[in-house]
Amino acid sequence: MSLEALHAKIADLDAEIGQQRELLQKLERAKSRLQCQINSVQDPLARLPLELSSQIFLRTLDVAPQPGAAHGPMLLLNICNSWSEIALAEPALWANIRITFGRTQNSQEILSIWLERARNKPLGVWLDGLLDLDLVAIVWRHAQQLKHLHLMTEGSYDDSDNGVQLWNPGSAPGQLPCLETLTIHGSLHERRCTKIFGPHILELLRLSPILSKCYFERCAPDSFSTHQSLVHRGLRELSIDDAGDLPLDCCAPFFASLSLPSLEFLFLPSIQIPYEATVSFLQRSTPPLRKLNMGEARVLLQCPTLFTALERLELYPSWLSAEKFLIAMDQSLSMLPNLAVWKMHFSHYSARQFFGLCWETLSNVLVARRTQIRVLDIQTPKIPAVQMNPAPDAVSTILHALVSDGMQINIDNFNRSVTSRYCSEFP
């Protein structure tokens, strides 16, 4: 057989192989379609309407799903074709994500694809670890959809003395019309807190007109410019907690820059803010505060008219501050006229001083407001009975009667013989 004939024979065989491959692919596709039909018959989930099966999948997710083949919704992509189609067709499955810097491989690619699959759904994003601002920039590109943003960071790769920055220069997010909750959690190290670049916090508030809840834990805004100011009419809850190792005046510029006329809940249990800065902020905002958690009671004593709507109060006072507060409450029923839940935390020394001097005044306040105050909870260190100044019998009788009438009174960690007659469990 000539060389030309051999080449021709090979060409014929190649053509026949190609035809057989096409036929095999056609048969495999036909088999796959039949298998899908069998799965649809056997799989009850596949027989459900898409909306119902999507809701079932949604109920299997964590609040903040992590990327990974072992976690939903990515796990659903690996079960079968029908489940994968349902998962990809439901954007709500991809509306929340948690990325841990340094642990999630290909973070930028995963985050981009994930958020694109969410289409136009409101987004919740959790970012943990040392901030990668290039990754954060992907989140800012979806600023229009962002509903909840949670940052847990000990810093960023671009830390400065002014605090952790939340975006690179020139790459600030656009408007955040859907953002409702902003949470920033700082250092996890004991006795160390994280400073956040204050102008970025203020800009986030400015860009988020419906933001209602703003929480800072183990961190605080810092390095504000004196000319910055903002009136935010949507913020209802503001919390700055566990930032005790930061300087006294660290948060003062933040409060000097803000007016919050809709604020209902102010949570400042462990940070120290200059008294003048706190008073100025409250007088400028005149908020309808309903819940207040703070260290001392001095502001309450000096500006009582700012707290007429207050329903829940939690204090961490010195015994002297607490004594002055009790005396003011005893002298005027117009002070905190709507207070219903009242909680105080005392140190070992303050507790002994307070209960050595204030039993009678405390009982007078409770009797005068017996139809107003529903709960009194006083948290104290455990104090040996020999160091206690127990309630006089007359006071004990009064407290017992108040509990019988329905008031819940809890004085924690005291010698049981002092409190057992009138101590009620705090909810």
Side-chain angles (χ1 to χ4, degrees):
M1 186 177 294
S2 66
L3 184 60
E4 292 78 3
L6 290 172
H7 281 301
K9 188 66 173 177
I10 289 174
D12 291 341
L13 290 173
D14 283 339
E16 186 174 350
I17 289 172
Q19 293 174 357
Q20 295 299 324
R21 282 176 176 166
E22 290 181 3
L23 178 60
L24 179 61
Q25 291 174 357
K26 182 178 179 180
L27 293 173
E28 287 177 342
R29 288 194 295 269
K31 178 184 175 182
S32 179
R33 286 194 295 270
L34 291 172
Q35 187 63 54
C36 287
Q37 293 179 27
I38 292 174
N39 291 342
S40 297
V41 173
Q42 294 180 335
D43 181 6
L45 191 62
R47 298 198 300 270
L48 294 174
L50 178 62
E51 295 78 8
L52 186 55
S53 54
S54 297
Q55 287 299 313
I56 293 174
F57 284 167
L58 284 169
R59 291 177 180 273
T60 68
L61 294 183
D62 294 332
V63 173
Q66 301 182 54
H71 306 286
M74 294 180 69
L75 175 63
L76 302 174
L77 303 180
N78 300 319
I79 304 300
C80 64
N81 288 339
S82 62
W83 284 33
S84 179
E85 290 172 0
I86 294 170
L88 292 174
E90 178 48 71
L93 287 168
W94 309 91
N96 297 297
I97 184 172
R98 179 186 295 274
I99 293 284
T100 302
F101 299 112
R103 295 184 184 178
T104 305
Q105 300 297 319
N106 304 317
S107 297
Q108 294 188 29
E109 180 182 2
I110 288 175
L111 183 61
S112 296
I113 294 174
W114 195 292
L115 297 184
E116 289 297 331
R117 286 175 178 169
R119 301 192 190 109
N120 61 350
K121 288 290 182 180
L123 300 175
V125 178
W126 285 253
L127 301 179
D128 300 345
L130 196 64
L131 284 185
D132 179 344
L133 294 184
D134 291 333
L135 189 61
V136 178
I138 297 173
V139 177
W140 298 140
R141 289 203 290 269
H142 295 266
Q144 292 282 326
Q145 300 169 243
L146 202 58
K147 184 176 183 180
H148 305 291
L149 177 61
H150 305 256
L151 303 177
M152 182 178 290
T153 176
E154 298 188 30
S156 73
Y157 294 105
D158 300 314
D159 267 358
S160 70
D161 293 337
N162 293 327
V164 177
Q165 303 202 24
L166 304 180
W167 53 80
N168 287 313
S171 61
Q175 289 293 319
L176 296 151
C178 299
L179 189 64
E180 296 179 4
T181 307
L182 173 64
T183 303
I184 302 181
H185 195 299
S187 173
L188 298 178
H189 295 294
E190 187 177 0
R191 297 182 180 177
R192 176 188 166 193
C193 296
T194 302
K195 292 190 300 183
I196 308 296
F197 186 50
H200 281 184
I201 296 297
L202 201 65
E203 183 65 11
L204 283 182
L205 297 182
R206 194 188 310 277
L207 294 169
S208 310
I210 70 166
L211 184 72
S212 62
K213 300 177 182 180
C214 189
Y215 306 121
F216 302 97
E217 187 168 352
R218 300 197 66 78
C219 67
D222 193 20
S223 304
F224 275 88
S225 300
T226 56
H227 67 273
Q228 293 177 312
S229 63
L230 173 67
V231 178
H232 196 292
R233 303 190 182 279
L235 200 65
R236 294 184 297 104
E237 296 187 13
L238 175 62
S239 170
I240 305 179
D241 189 20
D242 205 8
D245 72 336
L246 294 177
L248 173 64
D249 60 350
C250 177
C251 292
F254 176 64
F255 284 95
S257 302
L258 275 180
S259 293
L260 303 175
S262 300
L263 194 66
E264 297 179 3
F265 175 34
L266 181 59
F267 189 84
L268 306 171
S270 59
I271 68 166
Q272 298 184 28
I273 303 171
Y275 166 73
E276 295 78 9
T278 307
V279 171
S280 176
F281 162 71
L282 291 171
Q283 289 178 336
R284 186 172 59 252
S285 301
T286 59
L289 282 175
R290 296 175 55 245
K291 295 185 286 184
L292 176 65
N293 186 313
M294 65 189 312
E296 285 291 348
R298 184 180 176 189
V299 174
L300 292 160
L301 295 170
Q302 296 298 321
C303 308
T305 57
L306 294 175
F307 304 98
T308 56
L310 200 66
E311 299 171 4
R312 303 177 68 94
L313 173 65
E314 189 163 354
L315 296 172
Y316 298 74
S318 65
W319 73 268
L320 184 58
S321 173
E323 182 187 31
K324 291 180 178 179
F325 179 65
L326 268 185
I327 292 172
M329 292 278 283
D330 187 27
Q331 292 176 345
S332 174
L333 287 175
S334 64
M335 184 173 181
L336 307 186
N338 291 295
L339 183 64
V341 178
W342 178 14
K343 189 170 184 178
M344 291 191 290
H345 302 258
F346 285 113
S347 67
H348 183 285
Y349 173 76
S350 291
R352 286 193 291 115
Q353 295 295 111
F354 179 80
F355 287 107
L357 300 170
C358 298
W359 278 116
E360 186 174 347
T361 309
L362 177 62
S363 66
N364 289 342
V365 171
L366 295 178
V367 169
R369 299 166 184 254
R370 64 192 309 155
T371 60
Q372 173 194 333
I373 295 177
R374 295 185 291 104
V375 178
L376 171 69
D377 184 36
I378 300 180
Q379 299 289 318
T380 69
K382 189 175 291 295
I383 299 175
V386 294
Q387 298 181 16
M388 270 295 301
N389 195 331
D393 289 341
V395 172
S396 296
T397 301
I398 291 171
L399 296 178
H400 177 75
L402 291 172
V403 170
S404 298
D405 287 345
M407 186 181 292
Q408 299 182 56
I409 299 176
N410 178 54
I411 301 176
D412 194 27
N413 283 332
F414 275 99
N415 181 275
R416 298 303 296 176
S417 65
V418 176
T419 60
S420 59
R421 286 176 292 172
Y422 53 84
C423 180
S424 175
E425 197 66 29
F426 185 74

